Amino acid sequence: MFGFLRRKKTPAEPEYNAPLPSASESGTVDGASAATLLPPPNESARVVTAPLVEPAAHAVQEKPKSRFWQQLSRSRNNLTEGLGNLFLGKKTLDAEILEELETRLILADVGQATTRALIKELEQQISRKQIHDPEALFEKLRELMITRLAAVQRPVSPRVHHPHVILMCGINGAGKTTTIGKLAHWFRQSGQTVMLAAGDTFRAAAVEQLMTWGARNQIPVIGEPGRGDAASVLFDAVQAARARGMEVLIADTAGRLHTQGGLMDELKKLTRVLDKAEPGAPHEVLLVLDASIGQNALNQARQFHQAVGVTGLIVTKLDGTAKGGIIFAIADELALPIEFIGIGEALDDLRPFDPTAYVDTLLDRESA
Ligand SMILES: Nc1nc2c(ncn2[C@@H]2O[C@H](COP(=O)(O)OP(=O)(O)OP(=O)(O)O)[C@@H](O)[C@H]2O)c(=O)[nH]1
Ligand SMILES: [Mg+2]
């Protein structure tokens, strides 16, 4: 069932800016809620003697929402708030519903082309009498959205090269260095050894920023402040990773605009240097895209892909934007795999991209 069809906000749902549980705490919260929902082992024996009391309606507790749910609240509210009002009390489908849906999708930055395609498909299904009521309309919308995203989902594959070399790229401030910190944490959690290469030799304090992430993850960082040549840092890092038997090497790079020809050439040079240091490297070129810049992300991605052959995307800052629909435009128009999404600045705010979880969260659909 879609939550927004029956209510605006649950009491259990904290405000967007409310303090959030830390990485370790969030596990405890989920664990605690699971424990309170499960009956004790000898529940059936006790039920026989317990008085049969009908639970009061207000005593029914909603499951606490996950951090993922909380962090995507802006996009969810943007997409569903107007629809909730529109649907209140409606039992039949009319043109107004589709029009409002179209507007909402555009406002959420799903993009003109993708929105049109979704609405057209729904219109066709309605005229073929395959959809009869608002709830069925949303079930279909959900299904269509998941299908579109599933086409670009790439399960995080086992890393076969040692070291598996990942080159990160993107424009200034997209979230590359932060994402590297989170990605390193993710690899560490999945039991792999990780090393970082401080390939942003351009921006002041970029190396120190990466070193801080290295320290937080307790992993080595190759490079030092003041070193001017990114290519030589990356070359050394590959050798160090190989010598120390590292499974994953993640290389940071300086932010650059996709329109800066000279800097894009430098990025190409970095890929050549990596290939020289380790034939076949980089095994992945991950482009970091800031979701909050909306449709501009598409053009950036095309240019980076043309220059260095992007193998996958990481879409960041989905927590800070009401335009989480950009994921659909990215999926439809770029057809590049979306590997991870960034939903905050904490160490575990990076999630492998899961189309079903993403769509259900955006559409305020309650999980079973
Ligand atoms: N809310 C939010 N903020 C993020 C996310 N990812 C990164 N940031 C923030 O975005 C800002 C820029 O992040 P950086 O990692 O320094 O970006 P960068 O691409 O390395 O920037 P340059 O090295 O200057 O090109 C920092 O304040 C990060 O904390 C995210 O998923 N959500
Ligand atoms: Mg950086």
Side-chain angles (χ1 to χ4, degrees), residues 51-359:
L52 282 172
V53 180
E54 204 64 41
H58 67 266
V60 176
Q61 290 216 328
E62 288 225 25
K63 204 175 150 194
K65 301 296 185 188
S66 66
R67 179 160 172 83
F68 188 66
W69 183 276
Q70 292 162 7
Q71 293 295 83
L72 291 178
S73 64
R74 286 195 181 178
S75 287
R76 176 173 58 256
N77 293 343
N78 187 27
L79 196 58
T80 61
E81 226 154 55
L83 296 178
N85 294 337
L86 185 76
F87 273 73
L88 228 57
K90 277 218 169 149
K91 295 247 178 329
T92 52
L93 288 171
D94 57 24
E96 200 192 347
I97 288 185
L98 280 180
E99 270 167 34
E100 180 64 22
L101 187 55
E102 185 165 5
T103 308
R104 286 279 138 195
L105 293 173
I106 296 282
L107 286 177
D109 231 359
V110 169
Q112 297 278 353
T114 307
T115 299
R116 248 344 288 158
L118 287 169
I119 296 292
K120 197 170 158 206
E121 177 79 33
L122 292 173
E123 279 168 348
Q124 281 172 355
Q125 300 237 354
I126 292 169
S127 65
R128 281 193 233 117
K129 308 259 182 268
Q130 288 162 326
I131 299 174
H132 301 283
D133 56 46
E135 204 171 319
L137 178 78
F138 275 87
E139 279 298 340
K140 192 68 207 173
L141 175 68
R142 169 181 182 266
E143 193 188 306
L144 293 176
M145 285 175 137
I146 292 173
T147 306
R148 290 186 115 77
L149 295 184
V152 293
Q153 180 196 24
R154 183 167 69 190
V156 183
S157 51
R159 313 292 163 177
V160 287
H161 308 98
H162 282 201
H164 183 89
V165 181
I166 301 173
L167 184 70
M168 303 288 280
C169 60
I171 69 155
N172 314 70
K176 294 176 292 299
T177 310
T178 308
T179 301
I180 290 174
K182 295 189 271 184
L183 194 55
H185 175 71
W186 190 87
F187 279 122
R188 293 255 298 147
Q189 294 286 96
S190 63
Q192 309 204 45
T193 51
V194 187
M195 182 182 265
L196 306 181
D200 181 355
T201 52
F202 189 72
R203 185 170 63 74
V207 177
E208 288 88 338
Q209 187 190 358
L210 193 72
M211 284 179 161
T212 304
W213 283 107
R216 287 176 79 179
N217 282 301
Q218 297 171 311
I219 54 173
V221 180
I222 302 299
E224 63 264 5
R227 212 168 142 181
D229 181 9
S232 79
V233 173
L234 296 200
F235 193 87
D236 289 354
V238 171
Q239 294 198 319
R242 204 168 34 224
R244 291 167 68 170
M246 291 287 163
E247 289 167 292
V248 181
L249 173 69
I250 314 175
D252 197 9
T253 60
R256 67 203 73 220
L257 284 178
H258 49 295
T259 48
Q260 293 172 310
L263 291 178
M264 293 302 275
D265 285 345
E266 197 223 21
L267 195 59
K268 284 187 210 170
K269 182 180 156 197
L270 293 182
T271 63
R272 288 197 300 273
V273 167
L274 286 171
D275 186 43
K276 212 166 173 184
E278 172 75 23
H283 307 104
E284 285 187 72
V285 179
L286 296 184
L287 174 65
V288 177
L289 289 175
D290 174 348
S292 65
I293 66 164
Q295 301 287 314
N296 286 337
L298 301 176
N299 200 27
Q300 273 175 29
R302 287 190 194 100
Q303 304 283 334
F304 272 94
H305 188 43
Q306 202 174 14
V308 284
V310 170
T311 60
L313 302 172
I314 299 185
V315 183
T316 59
K317 307 192 195 179
L318 280 161
D319 54 305
T321 179
K323 301 192 165 219
I326 187 64
I327 288 266
F328 297 92
I330 287 172
D332 265 11
E333 297 195 27
L334 299 176
L336 283 169
I338 300 175
E339 292 216 4
F340 289 89
I341 58 174
I343 56 158
E345 295 172 278
L347 206 53
D348 70 344
D349 280 340
L350 188 76
R351 303 291 155 86
F353 181 52
D354 176 346
T356 304
Y358 191 76
V359 170

